[in-house]
Amino acid sequence: MQDLIERAARDIAGSTYAIALTGAGISVESGIPPFRGKGGLWEKIDPMEFAHIDSFLRDPEKVWNVLIKEMKGVVDEAKPNDAHTGLADLERMGKLKTIITQNVDGLHQVAGNTDVIEFHGNFAWQRCMDCGGKIETSEIDLSEIPPRCACGGIYRPDCVFFGEMIPPDYMRRSQQAASLCDIMLVLGTSAVVQPAAYMPVVAKENGAKVIEINPENTPLTGRISDYIILGRGGEVMNGIIAELEKLLDA
Ligand code: OAD
C-alpha cells in the first residue's frame, strides 16, 4: 500500500486541479454506518420502503420513525475523522479545489473544506413540504412524529430521496468540476448509485487520473480508475498528507 500512497502523493503534487468524490465509506470511521456491505443500513431496512420519496409521501410517520430519527441520532454525534481532515489539509495546501459528496452529514464542512457540492442534499436542515420554510435538524421538536411546521406542513430532510432529481445546480457544478479536473480522488463510495457514479467516468473521459481509496474494489476498479489504494480512508489520507508534505517541502 505504501508505494501506492507515495504514487498518489506524487500525482497530487503534480496536479493543478484535483477534486474528490466521496461516499458513505469516508464517514464510517466517524461512526456513521455505510448503506451497503457488512453492517450497512440497507441490510437492515429496504431503501425502497424507507428512502423512496413515494414511501415518504405515503407514510411520513413510518419513515420518520425508522430512518430519519435514527439518522439524526447518529449524525448529531459524528465528528470528522482523519479522512475528512486529510481532504481539508489538501485544500489548505492548495491541492484540492472541490469535493462532490454523496453524504448528507456535513462533515466535510466541519473539517474545513469550503467548496463542497452536496449531491444528495444535507441532513442539517429540514424543509416544510407545504410552505418550504426551513429549520435546522438540531432544532426540530421530535415530540410529534412526523414533526410539523407552524403552518401545519410536514417537515422532510433537505436531502434527495430515491425517486427524486439531483438539484440541477449541483448536477451542473459537479459535471463541470469532473470535466475540468486533472485528478479525481474517489473515496469511500461503492460507485453503484447514479448519477454520482458517473462523475468519475466524466473525469476519465476528459483526461483526468482517477484514484480510488477504498478497502474494497468497486465497479470502477480496473476499468475507470487508474489505481485503487486498498485501505481505510483515514490511514490512507494520513499517509498521503505525510508524503505530500515531504514533496512540497523538498
Ligand atoms: P455505500 O454504502 O454504497 O458504499 C460505501 C463504500 O465505502 C463501500 O465501497 C465500502 O467498501 C467503502 N468503505 C467502507 N469503510 C470504509 C473506510 N473506512 N474508508 C473508505 N471506504 C470505506 O455508500 P455510497 O457509495 O455513498 O443515496 O452510496 C451512495 C448512495 O447510496 C448514498 O448517497 C445513498 C445510498 O442509497 C441516497 O440515499 C439517495
Side-chain angles (χ1 to χ4, degrees):
M1 183 161 91
Q2 185 56 26
D3 52 339
L4 286 177
I5 286 177
E6 288 171 18
R7 180 174 170 191
R10 280 196 305 275
D11 284 339
I12 294 168
S15 75
T16 56
Y17 200 120
I19 70 169
L21 170 70
T22 65
I26 196 172
S27 296
V28 164
E29 291 164 74
S30 295
I32 303 180
F35 296 99
R36 297 171 186 79
K38 208 164 133 266
L41 190 58
W42 300 156
E43 246 183 13
K44 288 199 281 174
I45 60 171
D46 175 1
M48 289 306 124
E49 199 183 336
F50 292 99
H52 197 285
I53 186 61
D54 293 344
S55 316
F56 185 78
L57 295 174
R58 217 171 18 246
D59 195 345
E61 184 182 338
K62 182 168 112 174
V63 174
W64 260 99
N65 271 326
V66 176
L67 179 66
I68 307 175
K69 264 167 72 176
E70 169 158 342
M71 270 184 79
K72 179 168 157 40
V74 176
V75 171
D76 277 354
E77 295 296 311
K79 308 249 177 320
N81 65 57
D82 287 352
H84 296 104
T85 51
L87 291 181
D89 288 343
L90 280 187
E91 181 181 321
R92 266 191 293 275
M93 294 160 114
K95 283 295 168 194
L96 186 75
K97 289 214 189 301
T98 300
I99 297 177
I100 305 167
T101 187
Q102 297 162 86
N103 300 345
V104 297
D105 55 33
L107 292 179
H108 287 304
Q109 294 92 321
V110 178
N113 285 101
T114 57
D115 188 19
V116 182
I117 304 171
E118 295 179 301
F119 207 73
H120 291 158
N122 193 316
F123 194 71
W125 292 88
Q126 303 289 324
R127 187 170 81 232
C128 171
M129 296 187 64
D130 286 357
C131 73
K134 287 193 182 183
I135 179 171
E136 283 195 52
T137 303
S138 55
E139 301 288 305
I140 206 136
D141 175 9
L142 294 179
S143 58
E144 184 199 7
I145 298 289
R148 288 178 186 272
C149 171
C151 82
I154 290 172
Y155 278 123
R156 57 159 289 173
D158 207 13
C159 301
V160 175
F161 279 100
F162 281 110
E164 291 190 301
M165 260 177 61
I166 304 299
D169 184 46
Y170 298 175
M171 187 70 197
R172 186 187 55 74
R173 285 173 53 216
S174 299
Q175 277 176 322
Q176 190 181 36
S179 61
L180 288 175
C181 70
D182 57 5
I183 288 198
M184 180 185 273
L185 298 176
V186 180
L187 208 168
T189 177
S190 59
V192 294
V193 174
Q194 298 294 354
Y198 190 60
M199 296 302 140
V201 180
V202 173
K204 185 75 182 172
E205 281 174 350
N206 284 278
K209 212 169 256 178
V210 176
I211 306 170
E212 283 187 274
I213 299 169
N214 197 313
E216 287 174 28
N217 288 339
T218 77
L220 302 174
T221 312
R223 294 174 52 239
I224 300 298
S225 58
D226 290 79
Y227 53 99
I228 180 165
I229 308 179
L230 285 167
R232 286 179 291 115
E235 59 174 343
V236 173
M237 282 311 301
N238 283 343
I240 290 177
I241 296 298
E243 288 304 319
L244 199 54
E245 276 169 349
K246 285 190 222 160
L247 290 172
L248 298 180
D249 284 349

